[in-house]
Amino acid sequence: KTRHSRQESMVAKGCVKKTVPSAGAGGAVRLGRSRGGTARPVLRARTCATLSVSPRGGNLRGLLRVSVPVFGQSCRAPRSTAPTRAVKADDALLEQQLPEHPLLRRGTLSNGLRYVILPNSTPPQRFEAHLEVHVGSVDENERQQGLAHLVEHVTFLGSRKREQLLGTGTRSNAYTDFHHTVFHIHAPNLNSTNGKPMLPQVLSALREIAFEPDLLPSRMEKERRAVLAEMQMMNTIDYRVDVQLLTYLHEENALGCRFPIGLEEQIKQWTREDLVEFHDKWYFPANATLYVVGDFESSDEVEAMVGDTFGDLLPRMGEHSVPASRHDVRPPVKHTYGNLDKHASAYGFGEHLEGEDEGLSVTVPETVKPSIFRHPLLHEFSINMFCKLPVMRVKNLQDLKRSFIGRVVLSVLKFRLNSHFASDEDLKITSFDLDFSDSGREGCTVTTLTVTAEPRHWKEAIQLAVNEVRRMKEFGITKSEFKHYCEALLRDSRQLSEQAGTVPSIDNLDFVMESDALGHVVMDQKQSHEALESVVDTIELEEVNSYARSILSYISDFGSEADLVREGEEARFADDMGPTRATSIVTCIPAYVDKDGGSIATGGSHARGQNSMGQMDHEELEAIMEQGGELPVPEDSGDAFNVPENAVEFNLDATEIADVISEVRSLPLEPVEDFEVPDNLISDKELGELIALSEPAFVPLEGQQRVNSEPDPVTGIVQKKLSNGVAVNYCKTDNEPQAAMIRVVASGGRGVEKPMAAPNGLGSVALGTRALSEVGAIGQWERQQVELFCVSNLIHFVLETTEEFVVLDFHFASTGGGIRAVMEMIHLLLQSPRWDESSLTRAKQAYRAHYSSLGKSLERATLNNALTAMVGQSCCFLDPVPEELDAVTLKGAAEVLMAQLVSRNLEVNVVGDFDEGELEDTILKLLGTLPERSVDWSEWVDHSIEFVRGSLQQNNTKFLLADSDERACAYIIGPAPYRWQDISASGGEAASSSGSDGLGGFMDFLGDAPKERQEHPLFMSVSLSLMAEIINSRLFTTVRDSLGLTYDVSFELQLLDRMKKSWYSVSVTSTPAKIDDALDASLHVLRELTSRRVSQQELDRARRTLLARHETDLKDNSYLIGLLTHLQCGTVPRKDIRCLRELTSVYSAATVADIYEAYNRLGLSDQEIYTCTGVSGESLGEEEAGRQKQLEAAAAIAMASRNGNLFEALRIALENGGGKK
């Protein structure tokens, strides 16, 4: 598993804010990407899931994540010895069965309960216990739609034994999807309150939840309301799109209509008898599997506990007094597949479970008709081309070989599409996704091509993508592509085999559950790598190309499926797959566009973008139970919208779309050129010349007499400085063997943009970082060469900017020359970047698309309105608007960005598994040879950030979004201290402690005197973190549980490091009828800390939570590198090594008085608080619509005036009532 999550450390801003939004998803239905990253949605009734959508741009795309089932392995990119000449494999070798994981223990109790036990030492002293009941939404009948999910709610939340787990360091939750219901518990080995083993208590709770629930009527009514609340909250436009995709992908079976959330009218009508009947039918031992994975010494002991806990449960008897089993009562889902060769052996015809062969009917070669989903809240055109196939089970070496070949094919195609994207000045394709993966929850394999584009470019986007697929199908991959991708994937396999002991238990458990659902053999990472090594040399280039033809023919030959069948062996398809056809095509389009066919905003006023948030779990939903009565979930009365001004309807028909796809076959086609991929970006000769010219050296740190070579005795961190001014911090860890992470940080960021529309004004740094990423070429090397160089060396690079810093993040393989490879990239990016106008154009297009979509997102627009009220229009905290984007030039963007990326403004942080000598030598040669330069801070001055003090009306606004369904959210924003604020008696900004290299002052801090605590650099950061944890606890307890006004409420701090401004925010969701009350209640909780003092118990609980999280996160390199960041940053002078040494001690010493030192510095008066309430509904009242139009006009006039466009401001004013206010 790749663990590249970004978490904010408790000391430094260890994460970089993305410039495109992340979407939070929670509640009953988890809408996300299925295993491996496909664009297909995965619906599961869940209560704690979060969906994060990564930005399309911002990297060199050296890491291509393509999901094809190579089991026991990640989907990252690799290197070793690739096959140059294939070795002929005999059938006996390829038919050899794969070995199962040596530590995996399976068994079945006498009552039919199956169990799987797997020892796993990461994280230490913790375990996962998941009870899977094999029933989901596809098992419901016509009048039970949503009943599986409701039963899950009632059984889980009605368990008293589950409640007894609270406070023991345990986390628990449950979810329901198409094919199963899972109750899962993550627990420590020992109970934190009494020191007893937790496993018996956890297993006992799972037994009660699944097999001995009370199913009380009172609990049922509470959960009925909770489920209806979930249904309303998650019904975003993204969810509605996902429903459409699944409806047409599985239109022939229940997966296309039995969504876990269910139907509102049915949920309202069920009685307790309905729940009991459903539970009795499906919840019995033989229809369940228990998974226990964790850090335990004896599988025998765990197995004995399983038997003791579940062994006496009575089996449910079937016919002839034989215990009932899953497949006796649950018919498999039957699919219509896209395989056109009924004799293809890869699909395992005749080898499936009893009854499944009925679903393996090979279809006739007919052309599928595209389906269209049109909606006003959609912003872009997108098309999803699906080919559904039977699961190709991986049981022997031939199966593993086929899977590996599939990864090569999809990786190369994705690489080629990226190359076209990079050269497309008009940004015909906004984004694309390519996937070929299994889905256990859907019981099939699906190949997916997703293309997104501006509506006016929909034809060109389809043609570009389909023609590239056709090129690969006709000409195959090149020798160079074959060599480098085989090397890369094999190297990745080797690296992962070395990381086998660091994979978290939850990841291994999910992998085992998914593999079992698909019928794959479960291997450990070392077994998988050994098996792969035994077959990779038998792979021939023509064999890879034959699989490419089979996998991709559903796209390349759309409209001529009959010809595919007639081609026979002439087409040279893979012997065990044959040709394929499209099984469904789903097109999603906006209802309206502008006169030029471009995207158009609807729904409300907006100026800039910010991220949205939202999450919900079972406990949060209990809030609804506290209030009587029904939740006002709206009826679906169709989509009724006002047509936006200057908009025209956008309509496509299925025939037109199908014709565009099929007509691609008539376009000219040439094979791709092969090209050289360098072993090194900087040759030994060039490097020698650089060293001779620069004479790089390490120099003593400030205040020291000699060069530091020893790690800090407490933290293990080594700090160095190069003669050209580059600062270096590194820490060796074994979190991810043979892998490391580098973060290069430059002070400045968007804060030094000129605060106006100008060539180097607002948006210039944001556009510059994106444009530089889009180019992909550096030094003498072209984009394709650099990308394959990254693939071969497992380099994943992201260039991003925040308000305060420019950040370059690299994940890479630290062995086999990986350190030199990544340092060469850093050197060339900083010294020889390539700029071109087309990359800037694409960056501007992406920001314009983000801007115009803002008004279609309730959460984003609501947050944006509140933030704009606080900071004003011209501010680096907001995304640039079109007028500012237009003003930025390539010269201006390059100038302001590269002015920051100079040696004396760079801090290089390295965390991972590496050879320290090799790292220091490579840094010296490749980073020490950068020219010595400094930032001219007199020219590049930070924005003067002043929070606007408006009237109460200006500070408290409302956003109204026309939509067919009702939803509501609100945000509260206000000023907060910045992370390193010094409140000690001396006042002002204290310099870095002179004793930072020693341990002096450590014991002084632990004293009772508040002055010593307040002087510590971490005082404000720690106090604010503890305060936030306490406020969040109170918000949930009051607004959610006691008042029942919300499904989700959270308090967050946006803490800055350089700028002496920060802010807090509260987000709350509710129904339109309750959102104002929820907002007022949240504000009351914020302010009541003055009247209801924080207790010592609250502080202790918050402290334990944060310290436990810190200890867990230390096993994550992304978290560790956040701790190192800014240790030698001149613009963050108060952070030094002492902060890391004493972090836990500062938390331990914190007092209630310290909490109030932080709290009293929050802006909480009416003049300092900014709120916005967002409400969506089918139609806006006449008065509200008029007010909304006035708000939009006022915002547009203000923006035009600030940018000097007085004629535009006058035109808008005249069009909206002349001089009327």
Side-chain angles (χ1 to χ4, degrees), residues 57 73 129 267 378 389 441 512 569 601 865 972 990 1036 1132:
Q73 300 185 43
I267 295 171
L378 289 174
L389 299 170
R441 57 183 63 95
V512 173
E569 293 187 3
N865 283 4
I972 303 169
F1036 284 135
V1132 188

Side-chain angles (χ1 to χ4, degrees), residues 603-605 958-960 1184-1192:
S605 61
K958 177 169 282 193
F959 175 79
L960 305 170
E1184 290 178 325
R1187 182 170 178 268
Q1188 185 81 347
K1189 188 174 180 180
Q1190 288 180 355
L1191 289 171
E1192 292 175 7

Side-chain angles (χ1 to χ4, degrees), residues 343-544:
H343 301 297
S345 60
Y347 307 124
F349 294 107
E351 298 177 5
H352 292 255
L353 297 171
E354 182 182 350
E356 285 189 346
D357 283 334
E358 298 177 33
L360 296 174
S361 57
V362 179
T363 58
V364 294
E366 59 183 20
T367 301
V368 69
K369 180 181 178 181
S371 304
I372 301 173
F373 174 56
R374 179 175 177 268
H375 199 282
L377 293 185
L378 289 174
H379 175 64
E380 294 176 309
F381 167 91
S382 68
I383 186 169
N384 300 268
M385 299 186 68
F386 297 114
C387 176
K388 186 160 52 171
L389 299 170
V391 172
M392 290 173 274
R393 291 174 176 158
V394 177
K395 292 182 173 293
N396 59 31
L397 288 175
Q398 174 62 43
D399 300 334
L400 187 65
K401 177 181 176 180
R402 184 194 311 116
S403 297
F404 183 82
I405 290 173
R407 292 181 72 192
V408 173
V409 169
L410 271 291
S411 296
V412 173
L413 181 54
K414 198 163 188 177
F415 162 72
R416 290 187 183 181
L417 284 168
N418 268 321
S419 298
H420 275 288
F421 175 85
S423 60
D424 176 19
E425 292 190 25
D426 295 327
L427 202 67
K428 297 182 181 69
I429 293 181
T430 304
S431 66
F432 67 88
D433 196 13
L434 193 63
D435 183 69
F436 174 36
S437 62
D438 300 330
S439 173
R441 57 183 63 95
E442 295 167 76
C444 58
T445 296
V446 180
T447 311
T448 311
L449 173 66
T450 301
V451 179
T452 305
E454 274 279 305
R456 63 173 167 265
H457 291 312
W458 73 270
K459 290 183 180 180
E460 296 97 318
I462 289 176
Q463 291 170 348
L464 193 156
V466 174
N467 208 38
E468 195 54 52
V469 171
R470 179 169 161 254
R471 190 191 320 275
M472 178 172 283
K473 191 253 183 180
E474 293 299 323
F475 300 112
I477 70 175
T478 68
K479 291 181 180 179
S480 178
E481 291 169 332
F482 175 56
K483 174 180 179 293
H484 283 90
Y485 274 93
C486 283
E487 285 180 348
L489 293 170
L490 192 59
R491 184 177 181 181
D492 181 57
S493 171
R494 177 178 295 107
Q495 180 177 313
L496 191 71
S497 73
E498 294 297 323
Q499 297 177 0
T502 67
V503 179
S505 294
I506 182 60
D507 291 342
N508 273 328
L509 188 150
D510 285 344
F511 175 73
V512 173
M513 287 181 68
E514 181 78 356
S515 297
D516 283 359
L518 293 164
H520 300 313
V521 171
V522 178
M523 297 181 286
D524 70 15
Q525 290 85 352
K526 292 185 182 296
Q527 290 173 314
S528 180
H529 178 65
E530 291 169 359
L532 190 58
E533 280 190 317
S534 69
V535 298
V536 72
D537 286 339
T538 71
I539 301 173
E540 299 179 354
L541 177 58
E542 180 50 40
E543 189 177 12
V544 174

Side-chain angles (χ1 to χ4, degrees), residues 78 90 157-158 167 209 527 643 727 782 818 876 918 965 1069 1196 1207:
D90 56 34
L157 288 168
I209 291 169
Q527 290 173 314
V643 179
E782 298 303 320
C876 63
E918 180 188 2
D965 300 332
T1069 61
F1207 287 107

